[in-house]
Amino acid sequence: LRRPATTAFDGATVELAAKLSADLSDHFSANVKICFGCHGFENDMTYLDYRVADELNIRIGRFSPSFGAFNLRHDPANHRLSDKPLPYDMGRMLRLRDWNLGVLPSPFPDNGIELSGTHWFGDRAQLDYAAYGVSGFKGDYAGMDLDFVQSRSGSYYYVDNNGAPTFGGRLSLTIKLGQKSDLTLGGSGMAGTFDPNRELWYVIFGADMALRIGRTTIRAEWLARRQDFDPDGTALRYAVTDDNAFFVKHGAYVELEQPLTSRVDLIVRADGLLRIGDVPVNSPLDKESAAGRVTLGTSVLVERHLRLKASSELWQFTDPDVRGVKTEVSFHLGAVGTF
């Protein structure tokens, strides 16, 4: 058998999005966003907002639920690298099929209702909250893991596979430390069932921090997903000793964003994944597997609304691939235009 190539060009991807926002009255607004990417054309959001007050906004329709800090800026125009942190990675990580993507691939649009609001304590502290009920993620047919394609693409996302909602929420506090400095601390969580029989649960929770000091921003975030699986759904490598079999997947990142000039930003990020639990017999992962990455990147503002992104990544895996390789290097080059 021929050994797989040690160098590969993964190809070019295109992401396009068009968004329409309309204020129908002082309290009532509508938003529609259509995007094209790796999942083809997709209805990324279609929702109505009714703002009763700053402390209460009612959102209903299809939207991305409030979870985590990165998801608030997941759009390519709002973050400085071409790829996402590993906890939120959707399709650009190495060995993505082995890991079934990150902990919570972003964005994750869903159908439901969300209540949110903001309250100020004087002029130095801001409290934000959100609580929602949505259809939730769907699982693969073997009951082993979440099927993120089924959960967000095609006709699947219009119908819940089990008729049971997923509930979740987010709470964050922002404190002004000075004229150009602030600190944000946040926590998020969601829980629901992903199988048609409503027996297999997933619980996702996380914590995040963002510190801005002048032009320097430091971000850190941790996510974990505890998920049941059906021990009879597929052949497992290890013996199941618990009737309630499950695995846990952790993900975290720390990121520094430092403007060097008015047009050039430097980004340094360290992130990783850790999966603990049983695996199918044909999985390349072990009962405890980890993946780590260090990224050095830059973002250059060419002119207004046009930005170039470039980054290099050093990967380290605990499990070797079919070539026996544990360490790999990848590069990304992207361009983002907004209008």
Side-chain angles (χ1 to χ4, degrees):
L1 295 178
R2 296 181 59 185
R3 289 170 57 87
T6 57
T7 303
F9 176 66
D10 193 49
T13 60
V14 176
E15 298 181 24
L16 302 173
K19 181 179 179 180
L20 174 64
S21 300
D23 292 327
L24 306 178
S25 70
D26 292 340
H27 297 274
F28 189 42
S29 63
N31 288 267
V32 177
K33 181 180 179 181
I34 304 297
C35 66
F36 175 81
C38 56
H39 295 279
F41 283 101
E42 187 174 343
N43 177 13
D44 196 48
M45 64 174 66
T46 302
Y47 62 82
L48 300 174
D49 273 339
Y50 185 72
R51 187 177 65 84
V52 180
D54 290 344
E55 289 78 10
L56 179 59
N57 182 79
I58 303 172
R59 176 170 295 179
I60 185 168
R62 181 166 179 80
F63 54 88
S64 191
S66 298
F67 188 105
F70 177 80
N71 192 52
L72 301 176
R73 56 187 182 93
H74 73 269
D75 191 279
N78 297 330
H79 61 93
R80 294 294 186 253
L81 294 177
S82 296
D83 58 344
K84 303 168 185 176
L86 283 178
Y88 291 100
D89 195 279
M90 179 170 291
R92 288 192 172 93
M93 67 176 290
L94 300 183
R95 308 187 190 183
L96 62 93
R97 291 180 177 83
D98 298 345
W99 281 86
N100 191 27
L101 311 181
V103 178
L104 184 60
S106 180
F108 40 95
D110 208 341
N111 310 320
I113 184 171
E114 179 178 272
L115 306 180
S116 62
T118 300
H119 180 76
W120 280 89
F121 298 92
D123 59 356
R124 297 185 62 85
Q126 173 186 341
L127 180 69
D128 295 280
Y129 80 92
Y132 51 84
V134 293
S135 295
F137 291 110
K138 302 171 179 63
D140 59 25
Y141 294 106
M144 275 298 300
D145 209 342
L146 300 184
D147 186 336
F148 295 108
V149 175
Q150 183 185 159
S151 296
R152 60 170 290 142
S153 298
S155 61
Y156 296 107
Y157 62 59
Y158 291 109
V159 180
D160 195 352
N161 68 329
N162 56 23
T166 287
F167 293 103
R170 171 171 170 78
L171 190 67
S172 66
L173 177 65
T174 300
I175 302 173
K176 287 187 176 182
L177 304 177
Q179 186 175 0
K180 297 183 179 180
S181 302
D182 53 64
L183 172 67
T184 299
L185 302 174
S188 307
M190 69 168 68
T193 55
F194 63 91
D195 66 309
N197 296 325
R198 308 178 189 174
E199 297 175 348
L200 304 178
W201 282 82
Y202 66 90
V203 178
I204 310 174
F205 46 90
D208 56 84
M209 180 277 291
L211 175 63
R212 183 176 65 93
I213 303 175
R215 301 176 64 200
T216 303
T217 303
I218 300 173
R219 303 182 181 94
E221 193 163 359
W222 163 76
L223 271 65
R225 186 174 88 229
R226 184 195 185 279
Q227 182 179 319
D228 295 338
F229 61 78
D230 183 1
D232 299 323
T234 189
L236 301 175
R237 185 182 305 166
Y238 304 98
V240 176
T241 57
D242 187 350
D243 292 337
N244 185 26
F246 67 92
F247 69 86
V248 179
K249 183 186 286 188
H250 298 268
Y253 73 91
V254 178
E255 180 179 275
L256 169 67
E257 183 178 317
Q258 176 63 59
L260 301 179
T261 70
S262 60
R263 292 179 174 268
V264 180
D265 294 337
L266 173 69
I267 303 95
V268 181
R269 178 198 292 162
D271 52 4
L273 294 173
L274 172 65
R275 186 192 186 281
I276 302 173
D278 214 335
V279 293
V281 292
N282 60 349
S283 173
L285 302 183
D286 207 339
K287 199 170 184 178
E288 184 171 323
S289 296
R293 177 179 66 174
V294 177
T295 301
L296 178 63
T298 186
S299 176
V300 180
L301 182 64
V302 179
E303 58 179 83
R304 187 179 180 185
H305 304 309
L306 177 60
R307 185 177 292 274
L308 297 181
K309 304 178 181 181
S311 60
S312 60
E313 303 172 341
L314 176 64
W315 294 77
Q316 182 67 44
F317 297 91
T318 56
D319 305 301
D321 63 7
V322 294
R323 303 165 296 168
V325 173
K326 293 185 178 181
T327 303
E328 301 188 59
V329 177
S330 61
F331 302 93
H332 295 272
L333 181 64
V336 177
T338 59
F339 59 92

